[in-house]
Amino acid sequence: MIKELLEIVWGFVKSRIFILTLICFGLFSILIYRVFNLQIVNSEKYASEYNQKSERTRFYRGTRGNIYDADGNLLAYNKPTYAVTLEDTIDSSSKKNAQLNDIVHTTIGLIEKNGDFIISDFALVIDDAGGISFNESYSETSRIRFLKNIYGEDLDTEDVRHSEESARTTFEYLRDERYKVTDESYTDEEVLKIIMIRYNLSLNSYQKYISTNIANNVSENTVVAIYENAAKIPGVKIEEDTVRVYNNSTYFAHILGYTGKTSEDEMVALNDQISDDTIPYQLNDIVGKSGVEATYETFLAGAKGYDKVIADNTGKVLSVDEYVEQGSGDDVYLTIKSDLQIGIYHIIEEHLAGILMDKIVNHELSKKDIEEWYISIKSVYFQMINNNVVDLSHFNNEKATENEKNVYAAMDASRTQVISNIENELYNDDSAALSYLTEELNAYYTFIFNRLVLDGVIQKDNIPDSDAVYASWMRDSISLRTILKYLVANNLLDTSLLPITGEYLSSEEIYEALVIYIKDLLENDKAFTKLIYKYLINYGTISGSQVCMLLFDQGVLEFDEQIYNGLRNGMYSPYNFMMDQIESLKITPAQIALTPCSASCTIVDPDTGNVLAMVSYPSYDNNIFSGYIDSVYWQQLSEDLSSPLYSRATKMRTAPGSTFKMCSAITGLEEGVVDTYSTISCTGLYETVQPSPRCWIFPGSHGAITISRAIEVSCNYFFYEVGYRVSSKLYGAFNEKSGLDKLKIYGEMLGLTSRSGVEIEEYAPLFTDKNVIASFIGQGTNSFTGVQLARYVNTIAADGLNSELTLILSVKDANGDTLPKIEKNQTQIDVLPSTITTVKKGMERAGDSYSAFRNLSFSVAAKTGTAQENSNYPDHALCIGFAPAQDPEISFSVNIQYGYKSSYAVSLSSDVLKYYFGEITLDQVMDGDANGPKVDGGGSASVGAAVEDAQN
């Protein structure tokens, strides 16, 4: 029985079924174990990931409101566009820097290959010499914030002072230590672009799910290129965006301003202005940076939107829990009339060109020419180089024309010889004092000294004012070698900036290092190179024809083969050619940047104080600053000698000259020292005070005149006496302070002691506080902007109604509803009606005496003035007034910076009035058909304006 049972078992064991059963059971056991273990592992993993999840908030900027002119014409708006963005999706590893750098470099290449540009708003830039410098558009606060973002909040310790790091050192730290851009084939420019993007990306490092803009407003070609190369550039995307666009930008740039990334200081200030329930501003938000864009930022900026997301530790968004859509900002309507603003800009440009044509001569300047401020045509040729109308760096480019190469070769040979001569003189014990040198050599040595001061090599602040050797240098009584040797011997140099090392250095070693520094400086300095060009042009080594040809070579002028060959062959006079370009405005006064090259004009409605036009010439294209400061364009504008960023209407303060005499007249009338009919007898020399000031007519005289007549002929003597009487009234004897105090009372009534009220940045006026006799004719320490003089004359035009000026007509919300207006102050000044009437009569008589106003179909009340600011420059030329004289529709203020004489301001004012009242059209202005300045024989100024032309 047992034997049979064993045989059965043995047979079963041998069977395949049993074997298969064992295999299946084993596999099943393994499977059960793996599944169970996997569940444990995954549970731990999911628990870990869950613990690293966090709720984060993403903000989206609102839709910025539009800006319109008074007639509803669109001036500023948002244009839909595409932006290239980068998000850090690379996992941390030892290769991360190299991977990100490669992605950034590749992306830059794709963008630039298709004609677009990366955002170049960065604290470091490539300078003219090819070195690394701090961006001049960055304030000191912004520079320090940049360094803190790099080195940490504690910039300076006992061991290191990072706040004093040079731009080059900072660049090298970012390249080598922070971002490890190790590819040696990259140029400094390429490296700078990479670290700029890496730096901007790092500002979002705490919220990786937010992307960083690399380029704005890119073309469709770039969009396609980014999509096609997506696999090579992970994290790079194309996103819909908007860009701020300014129509007719040049005419409105100073008023509208521009937008850009908010700074730390701006962020704090803006957050102080908003309510507690408003989402606060954050660093690098896009905000208004200047002009109305800045002043009305909290109106224009739409409410931010946001969403709350769940993101893991890598920044990946897992879910969106809450979403609030962004809002639209308010629309701002200006009081400005576009056609008037545009027309006046062109009228100013035409008149400045006319003045230049009257002043430019084609001969060597005599002493009399210099005294009368004539301009040599050679100075105009030089300005094409000096003001960067042509690009010096292109002269030795491989694509340079034959003419460009010839010009460069002449400069290079001269520069080499000049530097060699300078080096020899620096080692010459018998080197001559500056006073014995030619003008050219004096200019070179003076340049070297000033540049060493600017670079910080010469520690000028440590030189005592009483230092006899330094005083000799300032008098040109010693040589450059002598002063430099003296500074070395007295430890007045910062030797850390020199190419020398060592703890104990002899004076000779330091001096030799200084000479090496100077040689290197002169070989690479753009300003010194321009100085070489100046004298090459003066001597005729580089001809006027060659300079004119450069304008064609570089596309400044549309190429004309016949004229080009005529210039090259001597068949076409370069003087005539240049004058033709100036007359046709193909070369503008701003490009020439000689005096005059700038002016302002403000037009105001007397009833409301609404500013109808506020023009500053020259201007710039604020579209290029839209969203960020383009460092290249900023540098170009900063180096422009015509200073286009400078708002002349609101920031150019000048003495008012005789335009101030209405304030003096009101003071005298109201204080009772004169009346409408009383007379003062002008003898030409005012001998009541010593030293005795003269009337402009001296050695002639005006005789016995009334106050209206004194305004008409601008009699200085009359107003000297009024000032003396006012100053003597209180105490029965002359007291200067008493007179100044009284004058200021009426100046305050007329708006001359406060800003005008316009809603953009404006310099405060400077009301006189010394020399009361001179102050009554507009001298003393009086200094006002054009817009402040506009408010002043507008108060007279409005019969004593002093209105704060405004640029804002209304503000409307996204639904088109008008918001409550910020009211401006209007005050009726406390003077007798007869006082205003008398002053207006004098202005009307003055206006009638200017022949430029005589042939108009309406009467003009006006007053001119000239103001000397600097004896090295011509006087400023001013004209203020209102029209029609009997029932003013507008008041105006015109100021030509360094405009020589007031007759030019009268002529410009006349064309502005003709344009406003429809006697010339915008098409005529744009075509250059406005009359322009009639000068010296043209008869524009006549007797009335000649009154001012004779004054200081």
Side-chain angles (χ1 to χ4, degrees), residues 258-383:
Y258 52 87
T259 61
K261 293 180 181 179
T262 183
S263 67
E264 190 170 12
D265 291 342
E266 288 168 335
M267 178 186 71
V268 172
L270 287 169
N271 285 331
D272 286 343
Q273 298 176 32
I274 61 178
S275 60
D276 293 339
D277 58 350
T278 302
I279 297 174
Y281 284 89
Q282 296 173 306
L283 204 60
N284 293 323
D285 277 352
I286 300 298
V287 300
K289 300 289 284 185
S290 70
V292 172
E293 290 276 29
T295 310
Y296 271 68
E297 162 62 28
T298 56
F299 291 89
L300 289 163
K304 286 184 179 179
Y306 66 89
D307 58 18
K308 292 185 177 180
V309 302
I310 302 298
D312 63 21
N313 63 313
T314 67
K316 181 180 179 181
V317 175
L318 303 176
S319 65
V320 178
D321 287 357
E322 182 182 352
Y323 173 74
V324 175
E325 188 174 3
Q326 61 265 52
S328 296
D330 302 323
D331 293 334
V332 174
Y333 289 76
L334 304 183
T335 58
I336 299 293
K337 292 182 173 291
S338 290
D339 283 354
L340 186 62
Q341 182 83 5
I342 294 169
I344 292 174
Y345 188 92
H346 285 282
I347 289 171
I348 289 175
E349 188 168 59
E350 288 176 9
H351 276 259
L352 295 178
I355 298 170
L356 284 171
M357 292 183 67
D358 184 51
K359 287 293 181 181
I360 296 170
V361 295
N362 190 25
H363 59 253
E364 296 298 325
L365 297 181
S366 66
K367 182 179 179 181
K368 183 179 179 182
D369 288 336
I370 294 171
E371 290 173 351
E372 296 181 1
W373 303 107
Y374 282 96
I375 301 167
S376 168
I377 185 64
K378 289 182 179 179
S379 295
V380 179
Y381 298 149
F382 173 57
Q383 287 301 94

Side-chain angles (χ1 to χ4, degrees), residues 606-607 708 796-800 836-848 857-862 881-892 913 917:
D607 294 332
S708 292
I796 297 171
D799 294 324
I836 297 296
T837 300
T838 299
V839 169
K840 290 177 76 171
K841 181 180 179 182
M843 292 183 68
E844 186 174 359
R845 291 174 64 171
D848 289 342
S857 61
F858 48 88
S859 60
V860 181
F882 46 88
Q886 298 299 325
D887 186 18
E889 186 175 327
I890 60 168
S891 59
F892 64 89
L913 293 173
F917 287 105

Side-chain angles (χ1 to χ4, degrees), residues 490-697:
N490 288 274
N491 298 317
L492 291 169
L493 299 183
D494 183 352
T495 57
S496 68
L497 299 174
L498 302 179
I500 190 170
T501 58
E503 188 173 351
Y504 302 104
L505 301 170
S506 68
S507 293
E508 287 304 318
E509 289 173 321
I510 294 173
Y511 186 77
E512 286 190 16
L514 179 61
V515 173
I516 293 171
Y517 181 94
I518 291 171
K519 283 183 60 181
D520 184 63
L521 165 70
L522 300 184
E523 287 170 356
N524 296 285
D525 189 85
K526 185 177 180 180
F528 183 74
T529 299
K530 287 181 177 180
L531 202 54
I532 298 289
Y533 277 115
K534 175 182 178 178
Y535 289 101
L536 290 174
I537 290 171
N538 282 352
Y539 298 146
T541 307
I542 294 176
S543 69
S545 292
Q546 285 178 294
V547 175
C548 293
M549 290 162 64
L550 290 173
L551 300 174
F552 289 118
D553 291 332
Q554 297 200 0
V556 177
L557 299 175
E558 185 177 351
F559 189 76
D560 186 312
E561 185 175 4
Q562 183 176 356
I563 294 177
Y564 190 86
N565 289 333
L567 287 167
R568 181 169 55 190
N569 299 328
M571 302 300 291
Y572 200 142
S573 161
Y575 170 79
N576 291 337
F577 170 82
M578 187 61 73
M579 295 298 276
D580 287 345
Q581 307 316 305
I582 296 171
E583 184 176 21
S584 64
L585 294 175
K586 292 178 181 176
I587 296 296
T588 67
Q591 289 174 303
I592 296 171
L594 295 171
T595 56
C597 65
S598 58
S600 72
C601 176
T602 304
I603 306 292
V604 180
D605 179 345
D607 294 332
T608 62
N610 288 350
V611 177
L612 307 180
M614 191 174 71
V615 181
S616 292
Y617 179 92
S619 186
Y620 64 99
D621 183 2
N622 52 346
N623 281 305
I624 301 180
F625 287 162
S626 181
Y628 67 96
I629 302 294
D630 183 280
S631 59
V632 175
Y633 188 52
W634 178 271
Q635 186 172 357
Q636 177 186 330
L637 293 176
S638 299
E639 293 178 356
D640 191 323
L641 300 177
S642 70
S643 302
L645 288 169
Y646 189 58
S647 173
R648 261 76 184 190
T650 59
K651 295 183 178 180
M652 187 181 77
R653 287 182 299 211
T654 67
S658 291
T659 62
F660 187 79
K661 287 175 179 172
M662 285 83 77
C663 179
S664 302
I666 290 171
T667 303
L669 288 166
E670 287 298 302
E671 289 300 309
V673 300
V674 289
D675 62 32
T676 302
Y677 304 105
S678 61
T679 62
I680 292 174
S681 184
C682 167
T683 62
L685 183 65
Y686 188 69
E687 297 181 279
T688 306
V689 297
Q690 300 296 326
S692 300
R694 298 174 177 180
C695 184
W696 67 268
I697 202 172

